[in-house]
Amino acid sequence: MQDILKHLPKRAKDTHNANKKFFSKLKKKAPKQLDYIMQELHEAEFNKTDCLTCANCCKTTGPLFTDKDVDRISKYFKMKPQQFISQYLRVDEENDYVLQEVPCTFLGADNYCSIYEVRPKACREFPHTDRKKFQQISNLTLKNVAICPAAFNIVEAMKQRIKL
């Protein structure tokens, strides 16, 4: 896995222009069955990908925390929401709550998440490749292929499957 992660940013950069062009066409003319195709590609990839061997998303990026996330996680820690915010989060340039630092505070050395049952929505949905109306998040996907080997593989499979 370390070898894959080492080469992922370059592979993502090498395919960036082709991916950008593909997503531009996809936005203009998405296949009717796109949500089903993406669900299928997502499931196929995650049947062979074990996130616990990677956890690169947790090591290199921080999720957005919604108010609901803050409430749920602070309750899990038996803290007041404001206490949780001041201990773990900061407000970014877009006025969103994000982690104070990466790698994620809640990631263990074994790549397990200590708050997995109550983790933020952004973590539960990452890398967002099975999301409905997938074509609407192409900018996010272009970023995620440089972070997540599974997202990279899903986009490559998608380009093979959907001819535009």
Side-chain angles (χ1 to χ4, degrees), residues 1-15:
M1 181 54 71
Q2 290 309 315
D3 199 44
I4 291 169
L5 291 176
K6 180 181 167 190
H7 297 291
L8 188 61
K10 183 183 181 333
R11 290 178 70 205
K13 188 177 180 191
D14 290 348
T15 59

Side-chain angles (χ1 to χ4, degrees), residues 90-155:
R90 66 178 175 82
V91 176
D92 72 1
E93 54 282 344
E94 292 167 9
N95 236 12
D96 292 315
Y97 286 124
V98 295
L99 290 169
Q100 288 178 4
E101 55 190 47
V102 290
C104 179
T105 310
F106 307 112
L107 181 68
D110 57 1
N111 286 347
Y112 276 87
C113 174
S114 64
I115 62 165
Y116 189 80
E117 310 79 42
V118 294
R119 69 195 183 279
K121 181 178 188 236
C123 298
R124 284 194 310 270
E125 295 180 353
F126 191 84
H128 312 285
T129 47
D130 60 346
R131 182 166 158 175
K132 293 199 185 318
K133 297 185 179 155
F134 175 79
Q135 71 276 16
Q136 294 177 350
I137 59 161
S138 56
N139 289 343
L140 178 62
T141 304
L142 286 170
K143 290 177 187 170
N144 289 346
V145 296
I147 297 164
C148 176
F152 182 91
N153 292 340
I154 290 166
V155 169

Side-chain angles (χ1 to χ4, degrees), residues 46-118:
F46 281 99
N47 281 335
K48 60 186 177 188
T49 298
D50 178 10
C51 293
L52 291 173
T53 63
C54 180
N56 198 44
C57 51
C58 307
K59 293 172 184 172
T60 61
T61 61
L64 298 180
F65 285 73
T66 65
D67 290 338
K68 283 183 178 180
D69 293 331
V70 169
D71 290 344
R72 185 178 59 256
I73 299 166
S74 61
K75 192 178 290 182
Y76 176 80
F77 282 125
K78 296 177 175 52
M79 301 170 99
K80 295 199 179 309
Q82 199 49 52
Q83 189 183 4
F84 174 79
I85 290 167
S86 61
Q87 188 167 342
Y88 296 105
L89 306 179
R90 66 178 175 82
V91 176
D92 72 1
E93 54 282 344
E94 292 167 9
N95 236 12
D96 292 315
Y97 286 124
V98 295
L99 290 169
Q100 288 178 4
E101 55 190 47
V102 290
C104 179
T105 310
F106 307 112
L107 181 68
D110 57 1
N111 286 347
Y112 276 87
C113 174
S114 64
I115 62 165
Y116 189 80
E117 310 79 42
V118 294

